[in-house]
Amino acid sequence: MKTGQQHIAGLRDGRAVFIDGKRVDDTTRHPAFRNAIQSVGKLFDFAADEANRELMTYATPGGRANRIWQLPETFEELRQRRVALEEWGALHAGFLGRAPDHVASCIAGMYMGLDQFEAYDKDRAKALADYYTYARDRDLYLTYVIINPQADRSKSAAQQKDAFLTTGVVDQDAEGITVRGAKMLATGGIMADEVFVTCIQPLQPGDEIYALSFAIPMNSKGLQILSRKSYEESSQSVFDNPLSSRFDENDAVLYFDDVKVPWDRVFVYKNLEMCQKQFHATPAHVYQNYQAMIRLSVKVRFLIGMARRIAETNGVIGFPQVRETLGQLAAEGGMVDAFVAAMEIKGSHYGRYFVPDRHTLYAAQTLTQQLYSKILNTLRELAGGGMIMLPSSVQDLANPEIAALVEKTQQSPAASALDKVKFYKLAWDAVGSEFASRHQQYEMFYAGATFVTKNHSFRTYDWDSAGGLVSNMLSSYQLADELKTSQAA
Ligand SMILES: Cc1cc2nc3c(=O)[nH]c(=O)nc-3n(C[C@H](O)[C@H](O)[C@H](O)COP(=O)(O)OP(=O)(O)OC[C@H]3O[C@@H](n4cnc5c(N)ncnc54)[C@H](O)[C@@H]3O)c2cc1C
């Protein structure tokens, strides 16, 4: 198993990361990224810890691997894998949206659907199968970019002003293909070993050069990583911004400046249908989003724990209306947990593999996309000004004169002045900071815009069963019978 230090050392690979007008020499030491990278290192250390061997790893033909790569064949194996993912998620309270378990789940799901790739092209299927084994055995951290950059969404990829705004093929030879163009958004990209690049959005005839699927190292020649603003760098301290300072996983636009991809890393080549099938005809889409729902259940639990702590800190926990609010939140948290359990219990086999229930997953995504903002709003309502009436930074606490005033003005029936300040700094970082706001956007969009998740829910619901109930009810009475009865009367 890879340790945190080994993972971090592997990131010093000359990758081309740009932020604030400069190219970064070493992301692992840069103030915009280093703490988040350390947090990922802790995930690898946890999985490599001998004490967590059973919890976090499973037997493979070559030894043992992280359960994120496991291919469950039974309900029990699926459940074991979920417990591992939950424990990992708890290390970041669900704030690393694209921790290494996300894309590993996608690639594992694709591998489960290898028959779909074999029916399409034997060479591409072999490339995918070899890649799954390669990534699993090296415990790689993968990110993915599966969305074309926003420009004019009313036009296809080929119809955009610049034919290579979207990543497409410019050349091919015996060794591989050459790609040019952009993709959004590589969350975790600066901390990942490799990137899986494809298109999940429906493409149209004429878009064939964009209908690709491949994986390459983040330090590939010509791959440019354009970071957004770092919330880690603008955090004043861990005490002031406990989440932003340590879990800002970063999002980046990737630009492929004529990047060469060898054939043994190409899984789909200029095929519109296979681009969709790789996600939806295999268990890939379900597995990647099932992981996301496990992570979200951890995060929702964390936020609900925080809601109760707010009520206790402010001495309002005894008010009936506040208990109702907490009861509503608890019900919503229970619903998210129940969704995870239900998708497992209602799961079914795809060949040898046990796969969570598709519609239950899409129902969960549709509803939680709306739920996350609602939960944040409830936390704001409960907290009032408590998250704002805070010392400006730890420096205030280092000054005895100001610290004495903080002691005097920060009071609570449940916490010391210092504990209250510490807690509310955390609450603001989860609910109201720039980091928190980005998380709200993330939970609304990571699985696609709401019209996309609602369409998945529409397409996978058991309409026959629902419609059958309506038909049965309609056929249980007839106008002719009614008229006969009323005439006889
Ligand atoms: C924080 C964050 C992290 C992300 N990380 C990743 C990542 O790691 N990897 C990755 O590949 N992607 C990532 N994404 C991208 C994410 O997958 C997309 O944001 C999502 O798929 C929606 O696409 P879009 O942003 O282009 O929005 P659009 O598709 O442009 O939609 C925006 C809005 O426009 C309207 N709209 C657009 N098209 C239609 C339509 N056809 N019908 C009706 N209404 C429409 C809707 O109101 C919709 O909500 C991330 C996004 C965010 C915000």
Side-chain angles (χ1 to χ4, degrees), residues 166-446:
T166 298
T167 307
V169 183
V170 278
D171 199 6
Q172 69 158 95
D173 59 25
E175 275 143 42
I177 63 175
T178 303
V179 295
R180 182 186 302 161
K183 282 278 178 184
M184 68 184 266
L185 263 169
T187 298
I190 55 108
M191 316 188 284
D193 297 303
E194 300 214 353
V195 58
F196 173 54
V197 185
T198 187
C199 184
I200 195 169
Q201 292 158 307
L203 294 167
Q204 298 174 18
D207 284 343
E208 284 74 11
I209 62 163
Y210 314 104
L212 305 169
S213 167
F214 60 87
I216 50 169
M218 289 300 291
N219 68 345
S220 297
K221 188 161 170 275
L223 173 51
Q224 292 166 340
I225 305 161
L226 307 171
S227 170
R228 64 151 161 77
K229 173 185 174 179
S230 164
Y231 313 134
E232 175 176 327
E233 192 162 23
S234 50
S235 298
Q236 282 172 299
S237 71
V238 174
F239 186 86
D240 287 304
N241 296 93
L243 300 173
S244 322
S245 62
R246 295 178 300 162
F247 302 110
D248 180 15
E249 61 189 335
N250 194 265
D251 311 284
V253 170
L254 298 189
Y255 186 74
F256 298 83
D257 190 5
D258 288 13
V259 175
K260 186 92 191 204
V261 185
W263 282 114
D264 62 2
R265 291 302 194 88
V266 179
F267 317 131
V268 176
Y269 183 61
K270 291 188 177 174
N271 190 304
L272 304 178
E273 193 191 359
M274 197 55 204
C275 253
Q276 285 297 302
K277 276 185 152 184
Q278 64 179 338
F279 287 107
H280 298 297
T282 74
H285 199 243
V286 172
Y287 258 85
Q288 73 194 42
N289 288 308
Y290 163 62
Q291 179 280 336
M293 205 45 64
I294 296 168
R295 175 199 57 80
L296 184 66
S297 71
V298 174
K299 195 178 187 187
V300 165
R301 218 170 299 151
F302 171 81
L303 292 174
I304 293 176
M306 187 164 274
R308 189 185 170 113
R309 186 75 64 99
I310 289 172
E312 288 166 349
T313 304
N314 285 0
V316 296
I317 184 89
F319 296 165
Q321 301 87 333
V322 171
R323 292 179 94 89
E324 262 180 47
T325 302
L326 292 176
Q328 173 74 26
L329 275 178
E332 287 161 352
M335 179 185 77
V336 177
D337 289 344
F339 265 132
V340 173
M343 61 187 87
E344 292 170 354
I345 289 161
K346 290 176 75 183
S348 57
H349 276 93
Y350 179 96
R352 287 161 57 185
Y353 306 110
F354 194 75
V355 183
D357 182 61
R358 217 171 261 271
H359 183 261
T360 312
L361 167 69
Y362 295 138
Q365 284 196 308
T366 301
L367 297 180
T368 54
Q369 272 183 329
Q370 298 156 35
L371 181 65
Y372 193 79
S373 301
K374 190 167 168 259
I375 292 179
L376 292 190
N377 214 36
T378 306
L379 284 162
R380 282 176 180 269
E381 260 180 42
L382 282 170
M387 299 191 293
I388 306 296
M389 57 164 282
L390 289 167
S392 54
S393 77
V394 283
Q395 298 311 322
D396 285 351
L397 303 169
N399 176 325
E401 202 182 329
I402 307 175
L405 286 169
V406 170
E407 185 69 35
K408 208 171 168 49
T409 52
Q410 296 287 341
Q411 304 221 348
S412 158
S416 68
L418 191 59
D419 285 347
K420 180 179 172 185
V421 169
K422 184 178 186 189
F423 168 65
Y424 268 135
K425 292 255 180 196
L426 171 65
W428 184 246
D429 217 12
V431 172
S433 66
E434 196 170 2
F435 169 88
S437 179
R438 177 267 177 200
H439 268 271
Q440 183 175 4
Q441 200 71 3
Y442 181 83
E443 301 300 353
M444 288 169 69
F445 279 99
Y446 77 81

Side-chain angles (χ1 to χ4, degrees), residues 11-89:
L11 301 180
R12 296 185 193 114
D13 58 4
R15 62 188 56 201
V17 176
F18 298 91
I19 190 167
D20 298 329
K22 294 191 191 100
R23 182 169 169 160
V24 177
D25 282 340
D26 178 355
T27 51
T28 69
R29 296 198 174 92
H30 193 283
F33 313 114
R34 62 190 174 205
N35 293 352
I37 290 174
Q38 288 295 328
S39 297
V40 165
K42 285 183 185 148
L43 294 184
F44 283 107
D45 282 339
F46 184 81
D49 188 338
E50 199 48 33
N52 297 325
R53 188 171 191 266
E54 262 316 299
L55 172 70
M56 293 305 301
T57 70
Y58 71 108
T60 62
R64 291 190 81 80
N66 192 318
R67 282 196 191 275
I68 65 176
W69 298 101
Q70 193 172 0
L71 309 169
E73 296 190 9
T74 62
F75 167 77
E76 186 45 34
E77 285 178 4
L78 185 76
R79 199 199 59 78
Q80 271 182 315
R81 181 178 181 276
R82 185 248 296 158
V83 172
L85 268 50
E86 269 175 344
E87 293 283 338
W88 244 28

Side-chain angles (χ1 to χ4, degrees), residues 98 144-147 150 153 184-185 187 442 445 448-449 451:
R98 296 283 197 252
Y144 66 19
V145 279
I146 60 178
I147 300 292
Q150 271 184 341
R153 284 278 185 251
M184 68 184 266
L185 263 169
T187 298
Y442 181 83
F445 279 99
F451 74 90

